[in-house]
Amino acid sequence: MLRRISRWLADGARLVGAAFYWNTRKTAYVLRGRRGRCPCQNESDLGRGKMVACDAVLGWHEPERFRRVCPLLFGTDEGWVCSVPAAQVRPFWGRVVAGVLAFLIVGYLAAALAGFAALRVVGHVPVRFVQVAWPGKWAEIRRVQSEELLERAVRAFLDGRLAESQLALSTAVERDANNYTASLLLAQIGMFQGSFFAADAGFEQLRRRVPHEAARTAIAYHDTLLGVDRMPRLAVFSLEMAVEDKAQEAIWVRSALLAVRALPPVELGDFLQATRTLLPRLSEPAQTLLQGEIGLRHGARVLQRWAQPRGGPLHPFYATYQVERLADLGATREAQTVLDFYAARIGPHERSLMQFVVAQAEGDVAVAQGAFADVLRQPLTAQRIDRVAGVLIRHPNATAYRALVSRIARDPALEASAPASGLWVCGLVCGAPDAAARWQTRGRQPLGVRYPPIKAVDFSSRSMLATASPVRLVNTLSLPREVILSLYSRLEPREQKPASAPAS
């Protein structure tokens, strides 16, 4: 068997050389007018067809294999001879070209198959064979590789392996610079790792380079700034977006108000300097609220201005924020006056919620309970439950929380859609950990993340390492946006920093 294989390999090697060697010599012979000795025929023979020995097959283990080069070879009982006389000997370049093309095609397909196997088995890249074999599809390979790397990065990120995730994302963007999601997540991870300057630049570059995703980029940047508790930068960015996106002004102003409330007085000067041309471009209600919060941070009295209800078109958020802040500051009488003025504009659900807030701030338990009962009598949705949970986080009331849980439990469909993680946090804030415990078994967290073993939320801490810190909860649990913003609104302002400290 080994001898047969070695002979086959030897003849195969001769075949490649013979194809070029003998066709070249026969071509030269033909160009000379077939004068002189024929290069492949034995000169001692008669020179007639089927009677001339073939010198080209001397030394071959299986002479018949030479017919792939020259079909004129003919087998007889005396041996292998040429089937034509010397005057008819000619080259067969067509066979050479066909053989070379076949070799190239087979070799190319073999290389493509090897590459395909390497990508699928070794690289775990879900490419299709046609994408590897067809040059016109090669650009798709980099996109597929980029998407696969993105999936690995997301898994690593959710597992807390930020360095591994960042490396995978960097490679994904290198493979496909147009992979928007990978670029976005790369900027987010950079910020979580403390590379604020590079992350800010990455987000800004994405907003310019992918304009049709500008809104998504802005929201992701906002949420990342909030997640890492960069309130100075969040305040400025939210104000920039409020001016740029007039249709969503109230949403961005809400974040700006939240951030301003978290700034120590020394950082407000940096904020005012950075936004001196932006504030005048906001709507009048937005300016009034922001200027009031800035004034409060400086110790100024703003009740007189906030106590004035506004006529004309007004976003419901501005109305409810005005009422809540007056109640927070102890001006319950003014808050009630403003609430009565806005009642028809904000609707029955918000009116009842704000009545609960005002009554609770005033210490009127009966009115507060009655107002909250009105809230629960109205149709509830997952979005409304999220809103109620946010209000209860800002204005804790264990009795109201238990009533909310009881109301939801009576409606299985509503209970299935309720924001479980938000209700769990809300219960802890309200001082009802026993009632909150039911939501630990109803909410699903990403990749089996467990609820932390805490009985209360520590609003005095901004540490990512403190288990009960709102910042830690926001970054480890999947919480509704209303709950996240409410948790941050309860955080104590940062400690005073030296005047020379940077703004972000």
Side-chain angles (χ1 to χ4, degrees):
M1 175 63 73
L2 291 177
R3 186 179 181 183
R4 185 182 303 172
I5 293 174
S6 66
R7 287 184 173 185
W8 183 86
L9 291 174
D11 283 351
R14 289 190 184 96
L15 187 65
V16 175
F20 291 93
Y21 176 77
W22 289 111
N23 277 295
T24 300
R25 290 196 63 184
K26 287 195 286 184
T27 298
Y29 174 68
V30 171
L31 292 176
R32 291 197 306 268
R34 292 185 173 87
R35 292 190 299 268
R37 179 179 177 273
C38 179
C40 54
Q41 291 183 343
N42 191 295
E43 61 181 347
S44 64
D45 288 340
L46 298 177
R48 295 198 300 269
K50 297 185 180 180
M51 299 182 67
V52 184
C54 179
D55 286 348
V57 297
L58 297 177
W60 286 61
H61 296 291
E62 294 291 339
E64 186 178 7
R65 291 172 179 149
F66 185 69
R67 297 190 67 182
R68 294 179 175 85
V69 176
C70 180
L72 299 178
L73 185 66
F74 184 78
T76 66
D77 294 339
E78 287 77 22
W80 292 92
V81 297
C82 186
S83 61
V84 298
Q88 297 179 21
V89 168
R90 65 189 186 277
F92 292 92
W93 284 111
R95 289 175 171 253
V96 176
V97 172
V100 169
L101 289 176
F103 174 79
L104 291 176
I105 291 171
V106 171
Y108 182 82
L109 291 176
L113 184 61
F116 173 73
L119 287 169
R120 292 295 296 254
V121 178
V122 180
H124 304 288
V125 181
V127 295
R128 293 176 290 118
F129 180 72
V130 68
Q131 291 174 316
V132 180
W134 182 247
K137 296 280 187 179
W138 285 352
E140 296 180 8
I141 297 177
R142 299 180 72 86
R143 290 197 290 272
V144 174
Q145 287 178 314
S146 183
E147 290 298 328
E148 173 64 20
L149 287 164
L150 173 60
E151 291 184 16
R152 295 184 200 175
V154 170
R155 290 194 294 268
F157 177 75
L158 294 176
D159 286 341
R161 305 190 307 273
L162 295 187
E164 179 182 335
S165 180
Q166 188 174 34
L167 178 60
L169 287 170
S170 298
T171 309
V173 173
E174 180 184 335
R175 288 283 186 273
D176 181 12
N178 294 320
N179 191 329
Y180 167 81
T181 304
S183 299
L184 184 65
L185 189 54
L186 183 62
Q188 289 180 293
I189 290 180
M191 191 175 298
F192 277 112
Q193 291 191 315
S195 302
F196 294 158
F197 180 81
D200 290 345
F203 278 110
E204 183 58 31
Q205 183 184 37
L206 267 181
R207 289 184 64 203
R208 293 196 309 269
R209 185 165 58 86
V210 193
H212 64 279
E213 293 283 10
R216 179 183 171 189
T217 305
I219 293 172
Y221 186 39
H222 166 279
D223 292 350
T224 309
L225 289 170
L226 192 63
V228 299
D229 199 23
R230 284 183 65 196
M231 293 303 182
R233 177 57 190 152
L234 179 63
V236 175
F237 176 70
S238 296
L239 208 56
E240 291 172 346
M241 290 304 303
V243 171
E244 179 181 320
D245 188 4
K246 283 294 185 181
Q248 305 294 330
E249 181 197 73
I251 295 175
W252 292 108
V253 167
R254 178 180 186 179
S255 292
L257 289 165
L258 173 67
V260 167
R261 289 173 61 178
L263 300 180
V266 69
E267 291 184 337
L268 287 173
D270 297 325
F271 169 75
L272 290 171
Q273 179 66 21
T275 61
R276 64 185 184 279
T277 62
L278 298 176
L279 279 169
R281 298 167 63 186
L282 297 175
S283 65
E284 192 275 332
Q287 290 186 52
T288 299
L289 294 177
L290 275 165
Q291 289 166 352
E293 289 294 354
I294 293 169
L296 284 173
R297 302 301 298 129
H298 282 301
R301 293 183 59 82
V302 300
L303 292 182
Q304 183 176 2
R305 191 173 183 188
W306 275 4
Q308 300 299 318
R310 298 174 183 82
L314 182 70
H315 193 283
F317 166 74
Y318 295 140
T320 56
Y321 189 88
Q322 186 177 351
V323 173
E324 276 198 79
R325 289 302 280 146
L326 284 168
D328 291 341
L329 295 171
T332 54
R333 188 171 165 184
E334 290 83 353
Q336 186 66 58
T337 300
V338 173
L339 174 58
D340 292 341
F341 185 85
Y342 291 145
R345 290 197 236 178
I346 62 178
H349 184 265
E350 285 296 322
R351 183 181 67 242
S352 298
L353 265 181
M354 291 302 100
Q355 187 63 68
F356 164 77
V357 170
V358 173
Q360 179 158 301
E362 198 169 25
D364 193 329
V365 176
V367 173
Q369 289 179 345
F372 200 80
D374 285 341
V375 172
L376 299 184
R377 276 192 288 268
Q378 298 173 50
L380 287 182
T381 62
Q383 185 176 5
R384 281 190 170 181
I385 292 173
D386 186 19
R387 169 67 175 154
V388 173
V391 169
L392 287 177
I393 288 173
R394 296 192 297 276
H395 309 279
N397 186 304
T399 302
Y401 175 77
R402 294 180 192 279
L404 173 64
V405 173
S406 177
R407 166 68 176 82
I408 296 173
R410 293 197 298 269
D411 187 340
L414 183 62
E415 185 176 34
S417 64
S421 58
L423 286 167
W424 175 74
V425 171
C426 179
L428 299 187
V429 175
C430 288
D434 54 333
R438 73 182 281 116
W439 301 110
Q440 290 180 294
T441 59
R442 286 161 174 76
R444 297 292 182 185
Q445 291 299 312
L447 296 180
V449 174
R450 295 181 180 275
Y451 286 88
I454 60 175
K455 298 295 184 181
V457 178
D458 181 10
F459 288 105
S460 66
S461 173
R462 289 179 175 270
S463 172
M464 275 284 292
L465 302 178
T467 307
S469 164
V471 178
R472 173 67 177 269
L473 292 174
V474 166
N475 282 282
T476 55
L477 298 179
S478 178
L479 296 171
R481 183 172 296 274
E482 183 73 28
V483 169
I484 292 173
L485 294 174
S486 296
L487 286 172
Y488 273 104
S489 72
R490 290 284 309 278
L491 277 169
E492 296 180 5
R494 295 180 180 277
E495 296 181 0
Q496 188 83 8
K497 295 182 180 179
S500 59
S504 61

